[in-house]
Amino acid sequence: LSTARGSGTNGYVQTNKAALRPGVLRRPQYDAPTLLTEGAQSYAHRAPNAEIIRHERRKAVENRCLALRDRLEDGEEGLGLTPAEIDARVADLREKLLARVDAAAAGADDLVDLAGANVHDTHLLAEAKRLENEKLAAAFNIDAKSYVAGAAFNQELQEQKRRERIAERDRAEEERKKRLEEEETVRKKAIKQAEKEREKAEKARKKAEKEAKASKEAAAKSGSAPKQ
């Protein structure tokens, strides 16, 4: 309304929130689980450029070397040092830091402040995110090689994994029962064999006692026989 005069209202018109615009109706409809699982790869974390990260670390090395040179040339720390000695100390620091840069491919280092990276340093931010993801994966015991982004929202995949876990658990239980049965069979055989050995030893003992008794009786009879 250009003016509320004559309308019998105060001029406030409320939008109909339930009305759909024609453009919304023409949009393709996606199934939420399918959209999450199929589109997850496009949002997956991209690895940073290793050469750019290496370059940033080498820049940080040179900054530290320049800072050391400034302290040695202008500060009390370098009193009494000749230019050659200063160059030697700077070169020694550069060699140590560059060795750390070469070994930094296997893990993080403190040469570059990844947490304080500028918003435009996309590769440094990506490296910081990668290290954060590795820590989270280690904390939650997630295998990075077998992990698939968005797989948790795939109901069919989760159901298949659940059936596989149940089958694996049943198979392990069957193997455990079979192993216990085999152990019980071996134990019973050992007990039976031990019983046989005990019975055999008992028979041998009784036979020996019987023979000894017969020998004593024979000796007693021969000793009591009359002399001619």
Side-chain angles (χ1 to χ4, degrees), residues 98-112:
L98 288 179
R100 291 173 55 188
V101 170
D102 294 336
D109 60 327
D110 58 351
L111 294 176
V112 179

Side-chain angles (χ1 to χ4, degrees), residues 71-73 75-87 89:
R71 292 197 308 270
L72 295 178
E73 290 180 350
E76 297 180 357
E77 186 177 350
L79 292 178
L81 295 178
T82 63
E85 293 174 341
I86 293 177
D87 292 339
R89 289 196 180 187

Side-chain angles (χ1 to χ4, degrees), residues 47-59 101 104 109 112 114 121-128 130:
N49 189 307
E51 292 299 325
I52 294 179
I53 299 299
R54 177 181 173 84
H55 176 70
E56 293 295 333
R57 286 169 175 160
R58 293 182 70 89
K59 283 172 57 178
V101 170
D109 60 327
V112 179
L114 297 177
D121 297 331
T122 56
H123 291 276
L124 293 181
L125 295 176
E127 176 69 4
R130 183 185 67 82

